[in-house]
Amino acid sequence: MPVPAKQLTFSDISTDFDKFYNQNQTNLLSLLDEFINISDFIPFSFYHNYYSKLGSKRDFSLESMLNAFILKNILSIPSVDLLITFFNISSELRDFCGLLRVPHKSQFSRFKSEYLDDLNDLFHNLVEKTEDISKKINPFLSSILITDTTGFEAYVTENNPKFYQSQLKRSKAYSKFLKKSNPDSVFDVEKYAQGQMPKHSISNPDAKLAYLNGHFGYFLKCILSTNALGLVRDVNFFDSDNTLSKDLRPQDVKDSFDAKSLIPALETHFQLHPNFSYKYFLGDAGFDADDNYAYLHKRNIMPIISLNTRNSKDLPQPGFNEIGIPLCPYDDSLPMIYDGITREKGRADRIKYLCPKSKKVLINGKTQYVLSCEDPCTPSKCGRIKQLTIHHNYRFNTSMPRDSIKWQKLYKIRTICERSICQIKNFVQIKTSKVRNTVSLKSDILLACISQLIAFILIFKTGNSDKPLAIKNLIA
């Protein structure tokens, strides 16, 4: 007979925790107590907002609540429930946080939902404090800004794999029905199933359908910036309008989001930190867009961005005449026709030129293009279209050649941002988190960033700044 599993008692958990605590926590708590005073970083506005409702005699001080969340993140405690259990077991943890009694779970929830803006202020205050430390450690790495987009998977029904499988099952049934009525029809089962998925979660409209991390899901999308030391410099949350073209592949949709989100994110960053300056910007191919290059040049930041092959179509390129008008790729005696200005939200205005053998006609009250070319250079029914920004050559005329050794070495540094994002997600414990509220999830992300910066300050003060992200060494 199989031996039944042993039932763990509270005393067993307490004994195991005492071993864990003695091995790992004493060192961390003593270091935090010696080198970190969280009140040095809290803005006055945070104090004012926290104590304005119930006065100064709160059961739990602001410092106590923040210290509790910082310990939770640095120790990788996956849930508030387990954090509360540890507080019940360990008087040392309660004493360090200044807790006379253990807060209820709802107390932690209300803190995250009510003080999102204040947590954001605290985060940016820490960004200012850690900038000078970064320059002391490594001026070169602190002069590099790295940006990447990511998403935090929301705890909603639609993210259950069974939800998509149900859509796929309906799509396959519909495909069989179509083949009976029209055997020659071409039907993409997966694409149809993806098209039937709702654009946002029913329980949380902020959890939008997106293609991230290699699969479709319902994410809270954000763009995160770090320096080359891996320290988070900025976090911006963006909503997706989900107006996706049927002709775009999932990766094309992601690239479109990346390209349009960079400038607003950097503008926010520099408004909050006007004295910050960077020499290099590192980004993946998703940021390969004319507007981004022009913006970075305006900021005197050298872009190190990989070319996106999706932006380089395999078509003959038109030349230009002496006054800058593009010419037909097959006949340079035919200048293309000016067709107005293209204005699109989040992008610079562009001058639109049409194929010289394409005409606009009115058919059934709708404007359509009619192409009269016998040997077209593109499969498009309206003929070749060329859209030009004022500085349309920034992508190729880079300040540093992409085939140079220096460019390649700089681009390799970009992966530090991905490692930093992975660390933040481990802090949030997104795979096990049961947070449904968008505001609380954003607070969790900001608290994770705050914890990283606090740990970095601690690493610097203990003389281990050669590994600024080696937070686990603090509890080794």
Side-chain angles (χ1 to χ4, degrees):
M1 290 181 63
V3 179
K6 180 184 177 182
Q7 296 292 326
L8 291 177
T9 64
F10 185 83
S11 61
D12 294 327
I13 298 174
S14 179
T15 302
D16 291 340
F17 177 77
D18 286 339
K19 294 179 181 178
F20 172 77
Y21 175 80
N22 291 330
Q23 292 174 359
N24 298 317
Q25 309 313 310
T26 305
N27 182 44
L28 176 62
L29 294 183
S30 62
L31 290 175
L32 286 170
D33 189 55
E34 181 180 357
F35 294 106
I36 300 295
N37 184 359
I38 190 64
S39 60
D40 293 339
F41 311 110
I42 302 175
F44 175 76
S45 58
F46 201 167
Y47 279 112
H48 178 269
N49 294 334
Y50 185 75
Y51 292 107
S52 61
K53 294 182 179 179
L54 300 177
S56 59
K57 294 183 179 180
R58 279 204 168 199
D59 290 340
F60 312 106
S61 68
L62 177 57
E63 291 87 350
S64 298
M65 297 299 295
L66 290 173
N67 280 328
F69 280 110
I70 290 171
L71 280 178
K72 173 184 177 297
N73 290 330
I74 294 180
L75 298 178
S76 296
I77 299 174
S79 66
V80 171
D81 290 324
L82 189 56
L83 176 65
I84 292 173
T85 300
F86 283 177
F87 277 138
N88 283 321
I89 294 172
S90 172
S91 60
E92 289 88 349
L93 285 179
R94 294 196 302 272
D95 292 341
F96 171 77
C97 293
L99 297 173
L100 298 178
R101 63 181 178 87
V102 180
H104 189 266
K105 183 179 179 180
S106 61
Q107 184 73 27
F108 290 104
S109 298
R110 284 197 299 272
F111 183 85
K112 291 190 294 183
S113 61
E114 292 180 4
Y115 301 107
L116 173 63
D117 292 337
D118 296 298
L119 289 171
N120 189 52
D121 292 340
L122 172 59
F123 163 68
H124 284 288
N125 196 32
L126 280 165
V127 170
E128 290 279 350
K129 299 287 186 181
T130 54
E131 183 69 12
D132 292 335
I133 299 176
S134 299
K135 292 178 179 178
K136 290 179 182 178
I137 294 175
N138 195 314
F140 174 69
L141 294 180
S142 63
S143 70
I144 299 175
L145 183 67
I146 312 172
T147 298
D148 201 2
T149 55
T150 188
F152 292 84
E153 195 167 326
Y155 184 66
V156 293
T157 302
E158 290 81 359
N159 274 329
N160 189 323
K162 293 181 180 179
F163 181 82
Y164 176 68
Q165 291 301 320
S166 65
Q167 298 291 344
L168 194 61
K169 186 176 180 180
R170 295 191 189 97
S171 180
K172 289 178 180 178
Y174 184 58
S175 176
K176 290 180 181 179
F177 171 77
L178 283 181
K179 285 186 177 181
K180 288 182 180 179
S181 59
N182 186 6
D184 298 328
S185 65
V186 179
F187 183 77
D188 191 326
V189 175
E190 290 195 3
K191 196 169 184 178
Y192 180 81
Q194 293 163 2
Q196 296 304 303
M197 294 178 72
K199 299 306 179 184
H200 59 78
S201 170
I202 296 176
S203 61
N204 184 356
D206 293 324
K208 304 292 182 65
L209 175 65
Y211 181 80
L212 288 171
N213 305 325
H215 68 282
F216 280 99
Y218 293 81
F219 298 91
L220 178 63
K221 297 172 72 174
C222 75
I223 180 168
L224 190 144
S225 299
T226 72
N227 59 19
L229 290 170
L231 295 184
V232 179
R233 302 289 84 187
D234 198 36
V235 179
N236 273 277
F237 301 99
F238 284 92
D239 293 327
S240 172
D241 56 11
N242 285 300
T243 54
L244 310 182
S245 170
K246 294 181 180 180
D247 297 330
L248 290 180
R249 294 172 295 175
Q251 187 61 44
D252 298 330
V253 175
K254 179 183 181 301
D255 291 342
S256 177
F257 168 74
D258 289 359
K260 294 180 180 180
S261 62
L262 179 62
I263 295 177
L266 293 187
E267 274 294 288
T268 302
H269 176 65
F270 286 116
Q271 287 176 10
L272 292 172
H273 309 284
N275 296 324
F276 282 20
S277 62
Y278 302 96
K279 187 175 181 180
Y280 300 102
F281 171 85
L282 275 57
D284 61 19
F287 297 109
D288 177 33
D290 287 328
D291 298 338
N292 293 340
Y293 288 97
Y295 176 81
L296 292 169
H297 277 279
K298 182 181 177 181
R299 285 278 180 185
N300 294 319
I301 303 174
M302 186 178 296
I304 307 294
I305 303 174
S306 179
L307 281 177
N308 194 335
T309 55
R310 296 176 182 85
N311 291 340
S312 304
K313 297 180 181 179
D314 188 18
L315 296 173
Q317 296 299 313
F320 295 86
N321 62 16
E322 64 278 1
I323 59 174
I325 296 177
L327 306 172
C328 173
Y330 289 165
D331 187 354
D332 57 11
S333 66
L334 297 175
M336 299 181 77
I337 302 171
Y338 172 77
D339 192 41
I341 304 295
T342 300
R343 292 182 172 87
E344 188 176 351
K345 185 178 180 180
R347 300 187 64 179
D349 294 347
R350 288 160 290 160
I351 306 172
K352 183 178 180 182
Y353 288 94
L354 286 178
C355 172
K357 296 186 179 181
S358 177
K359 291 184 179 180
K360 282 184 176 181
V361 295
L362 198 63
I363 300 178
N364 296 328
K366 295 183 178 180
T367 302
Q368 298 184 16
Y369 295 96
V370 176
L371 184 64
S372 59
C373 181
E374 297 179 356
D375 184 23
C377 61
T378 173
S380 173
K381 295 180 180 180
C382 61
R384 187 62 177 273
I385 295 177
K386 183 70 175 178
Q387 303 206 60
L388 303 176
T389 57
I390 296 174
H391 301 294
H392 67 277
N393 59 344
Y394 269 143
R395 287 182 62 232
F396 296 102
N397 299 337
T398 56
S399 304
M400 185 185 299
R402 287 187 174 88
D403 59 352
S404 65
I405 296 176
K406 186 176 180 180
W407 191 97
Q408 294 171 7
K409 286 184 176 180
L410 281 169
Y411 190 72
K412 288 180 180 179
I413 300 175
R414 187 188 60 82
T415 57
I416 188 67
C417 183
E418 296 173 353
R419 294 198 293 273
S420 184
I421 290 174
C422 182
Q423 186 180 77
I424 297 302
K425 288 186 175 181
N426 286 337
F427 281 163
V428 178
Q429 294 285 331
I430 196 67
K431 291 297 182 182
T432 59
S433 173
K434 298 294 191 293
V435 177
R436 297 180 182 274
N437 184 277
T438 303
V439 176
S440 295
L441 180 55
K442 289 180 179 180
S443 294
D444 275 334
I445 297 168
L446 287 173
L447 284 165
C449 296
I450 289 168
S451 301
Q452 188 213 50
L453 298 180
I454 290 292
F456 168 71
I457 295 173
L458 184 58
I459 290 171
F460 171 73
K461 290 186 175 182
T462 54
N464 298 311
S465 54
D466 56 324
K467 296 180 180 179
L469 293 186
I471 296 175
K472 296 305 177 186
N473 290 346
L474 294 171
I475 56 176

